[in-house]
Amino acid sequence: MFRFIIVLILCFYSLSATAVGIDIDKACEERDEQENALLSKMSTSITEAFLAGQCIGYQNTYYKSTYKAQAFKELSRACSEFVEQKEALLPLNMSTTLKEAMLAGMCTGAIYKVAYNCGVGEQYIQYLVIARGMNNMNETEALAYISAALNCH
């Protein structure tokens, strides 16, 4: 019975770590806190790394139209990591490194930035669907794909 309770608690915390509601201010506060921490790697949780990644992805993505778009080079890889984490059999905290969590956050931050600049409400963003479609794309192709998936014109 005790093991069952532990597993439920771990599952609950792993689900909250992969929730994709984005608060960029909170995410950037977390990133700044990690950058200024004395023992940043040792004191960072998976959830905090995911938040910091959201900030990094948001800030490193520029989108005004398909002709004026730029993102970080690892966008496709970051979104592959996001998909892998969402579809993993084990809860997030049990199978994810801090770097992987940060990459997954970067994916959601980039998708959110394009959606925000296109005026798409967050409730209409299907992060997992968009991330699945960006396998092996370069940054330009990935941004074009995100804007098309969001019906951004």
Side-chain angles (χ1 to χ4, degrees):
M1 183 65 168
F2 181 70
R3 288 182 184 169
F4 179 71
I5 292 171
I6 296 293
V7 169
L8 283 177
I9 290 171
L10 286 173
C11 287
F12 173 75
Y13 281 113
S14 70
L15 288 175
S16 66
T18 60
V20 186
I22 294 191
D23 179 349
I24 290 300
D25 292 332
K26 180 180 178 187
C28 289
E29 283 176 18
E30 184 56 47
R31 189 228 27 221
D32 294 344
E33 184 179 304
Q34 286 179 29
E35 285 178 352
N36 296 325
L38 196 56
L39 303 171
S40 62
K41 295 281 187 213
M42 295 175 69
S43 62
T44 301
S45 71
I46 299 296
T47 304
E48 291 168 336
F50 186 79
L51 281 171
Q54 286 180 341
C55 177
I56 294 166
Y58 183 87
Q59 289 186 335
N60 289 329
T61 302
Y62 175 82
Y63 184 87
K64 290 294 179 195
S65 69
T66 53
Y67 301 107
K68 293 183 181 180
Q70 182 179 354
F72 50 97
K73 297 218 181 291
E74 307 95 17
L75 179 56
S76 177
R77 183 172 146 235
C79 288
S80 292
E81 188 58 47
F82 176 72
V83 170
E84 183 181 315
Q85 288 178 24
K86 288 296 241 179
E87 295 177 343
L89 294 176
L90 293 174
L92 178 71
N93 293 349
M94 297 176 73
S95 62
T96 303
T97 66
L98 295 176
K99 180 155 178 68
E100 291 169 337
M102 186 170 287
L103 278 171
M106 289 169 68
C107 172
T108 61
I111 293 170
Y112 180 75
K113 177 71 169 263
V114 174
Y116 180 81
N117 287 348
C118 289
V120 175
E122 190 172 3
Q123 69 273 19
Y124 301 112
I125 305 170
Q126 296 179 346
Y127 292 96
L128 185 57
V129 172
I130 294 170
R132 270 191 195 123
M134 290 195 296
N135 196 19
N136 296 322
M137 292 183 180
N138 66 36
E139 69 178 288
T140 305
E141 294 168 333
L143 282 172
Y145 178 80
I146 293 169
S147 67
L150 294 168
N151 291 321
C152 197
H153 304 288

